[in-house]
Amino acid sequence: MTTAPPATTSETLVEETARRVVAEHPPATTPLPELMGAWYDAGLTWVHFPLGLGGLDAPRSLQPLANRILREAGGPEPRTVNTIGYGIVAGTIRRYADTALAARLLRPLATGEEKWCQLFSEPGAGSDLAGLATRAVREGDGWRINGQKVWNSLAHLSRWAVLLARTDPDLPKHKGLTYFIVDMQTPGIEVRPLRQLTGRASFNEVFLDDVFIPDSQRFGEVGEGWIVANSTLGDERTSLGDRVAARGSGAIADALALWAAHPERHTPVLRERLVRLWVRAESQRLTGNRARVAATKGVIGPESAIIKLLNSELTQHVYEFCIELLGPEATLIDTYSLDAPDDESGPTAIQRKYLRSRATTLEGGTSEIMRNVIGERVLKLPQELRADKGIPWKDIPR
């Protein structure tokens, strides 16, 4: 007979603290900012962060334990409170902000009272992020910013943003970049929502016209923004790795439910397609588990790029299967409103999920970029020819 190993001191601390917080602040009756504020003050938002900054100096591997206790008590999955803030920005703040600034930023990020967005992509530099043209020019004790960003998720709801801008066009494109944070209420910032296929508008264009940012909002050294940005993108990949769906859940669950609801439409060909999709979903889930375990040990491996590629393409293929199974019914949709509450419910949710899935191979890094990453960093294939390597950014033809 085997016995479970004894809980570590850190594990006991996290579990007892989490249970105390949900007992003192019942999720069903506590306003969300108050609940998440108590969660932060107790050090449970990021258990591996320092004391006083939403953490307990505990192993990162214990975060799922804390989150599970919160969910089981009726609370939210924490990352849904502030998706980009939790998954992409918080780690960069911890590494690059001084303690006072980190304390100012992290608590309202954790409670969801101050949302965050990412101002990286540009019309002429989406997949080629280092080719961006937004300029930051030194002015007194700060920087004057001019340029345009695009595909900025949740920018219309955000109070803060992380921003990558070019500070030296005479250097090669990766060398002349600097990383800032910017208050989205600063004069000169205009946000224009972009309407999607589903009817919703969660992406945006952001125009920056003579926006002034104090130098105190610079992360990292001048000209080393590419290093800071890669830190942020690493956190994004780790966040993706953490979100491992349960077996048979997510998009494949929609396909299985639809299959069960329409036995009159079963054919051997569709049955084989569904089985193949289920096997792919299971393969993706197991790879996600590997990435999650590696991430809890502080290792950001190539699995994250593989998961991103697998998941985005699988999601599209699953909903293409669903649309074919629905037949003519797939052309129906119940709402096309900017105020549509979500893409997850309603009688034509499958149709809206299909439309939404068309973006999955573009957002967060296109499939082409992911294949390059896997080819060069995992398979060690020769690097793609880069004609602009070592050339000053201002001399690169555009």
Side-chain angles (χ1 to χ4, degrees), residues 127-347:
S127 297
D128 181 20
L129 177 59
L132 60 83
T134 291
R135 288 294 312 277
V137 177
R138 193 75 188 235
E139 183 177 302
D141 61 352
W143 299 82
R144 190 67 66 181
I145 314 291
N146 282 281
Q148 179 189 353
K149 301 290 181 175
V150 73
W151 305 122
N152 312 117
S153 302
L154 306 177
H156 60 305
L157 301 175
S158 295
R159 170 63 189 273
W160 288 94
V162 291
L163 167 72
L164 197 58
R166 187 164 303 282
T167 47
D168 192 342
D170 293 325
L171 293 175
K173 62 182 183 181
H174 292 88
K175 303 290 186 183
L177 301 171
T178 302
Y179 193 108
F180 303 92
I181 61 169
V182 56
D183 185 338
M184 294 293 285
Q185 296 179 355
T186 305
I189 296 179
E190 181 184 0
V191 179
R192 299 179 187 173
L194 294 168
R195 189 161 176 157
Q196 301 155 219
L197 276 174
T198 58
R200 300 187 71 202
S202 57
F203 302 133
N204 302 272
E205 293 177 294
V206 176
F207 295 84
L208 303 117
D209 184 13
D210 274 340
V211 175
F212 184 79
I213 300 177
D215 191 56
S216 60
Q217 291 178 200
R218 169 171 53 83
F219 280 4
E221 300 299 321
V222 175
E224 295 188 1
W226 186 247
I227 297 173
V228 187
N230 270 290
S231 163
T232 302
L233 295 173
D235 286 335
E236 183 176 16
R237 289 193 292 270
T238 302
S239 175
L240 287 171
D242 272 351
R243 282 179 281 184
V244 180
R247 186 177 189 180
S249 65
I252 195 65
D254 285 335
L256 291 169
L258 202 63
W259 177 262
H262 295 284
E264 77 284 2
R265 299 175 188 175
H266 291 187
T267 69
V269 172
L270 286 174
R271 180 186 297 275
E272 180 178 344
R273 280 181 60 189
L274 180 58
V275 170
R276 289 182 181 276
L277 289 168
W278 191 91
V279 170
R280 287 174 58 186
E282 186 65 2
S283 172
Q284 186 264 333
R285 184 185 69 81
L286 294 171
T287 306
N289 265 333
R290 286 174 51 204
R292 181 181 59 78
V293 171
T296 59
K297 297 176 180 175
V299 178
I300 301 174
E303 294 90 347
S304 298
I306 297 171
I307 293 166
K308 165 66 174 69
L309 178 64
L310 289 174
N311 189 49
S312 57
E313 296 193 347
L314 175 63
T315 299
Q316 286 187 354
H317 293 159
V318 168
Y319 287 117
E320 287 165 1
F321 167 86
C322 292
I323 291 299
E324 184 170 339
L325 186 62
L326 282 172
E329 189 181 332
T331 61
L332 303 177
I333 198 160
D334 57 343
T335 179
Y336 197 70
S337 168
L338 289 175
D339 299 323
D342 55 53
D343 298 326
E344 303 294 324
S345 59

Side-chain angles (χ1 to χ4, degrees), residues 44-61:
L44 296 166
T45 304
W46 306 281
V47 298
H48 56 296
F49 276 27
L51 294 170
L53 294 178
L56 288 169
D57 278 326
R60 190 179 190 277
S61 58

Side-chain angles (χ1 to χ4, degrees), residues 8-22:
T8 65
T9 302
S10 294
E11 184 176 341
T12 301
L13 172 65
V14 169
E15 180 169 1
E16 290 182 349
T17 304
R19 296 199 185 284
R20 174 179 58 79
V21 171
V22 296

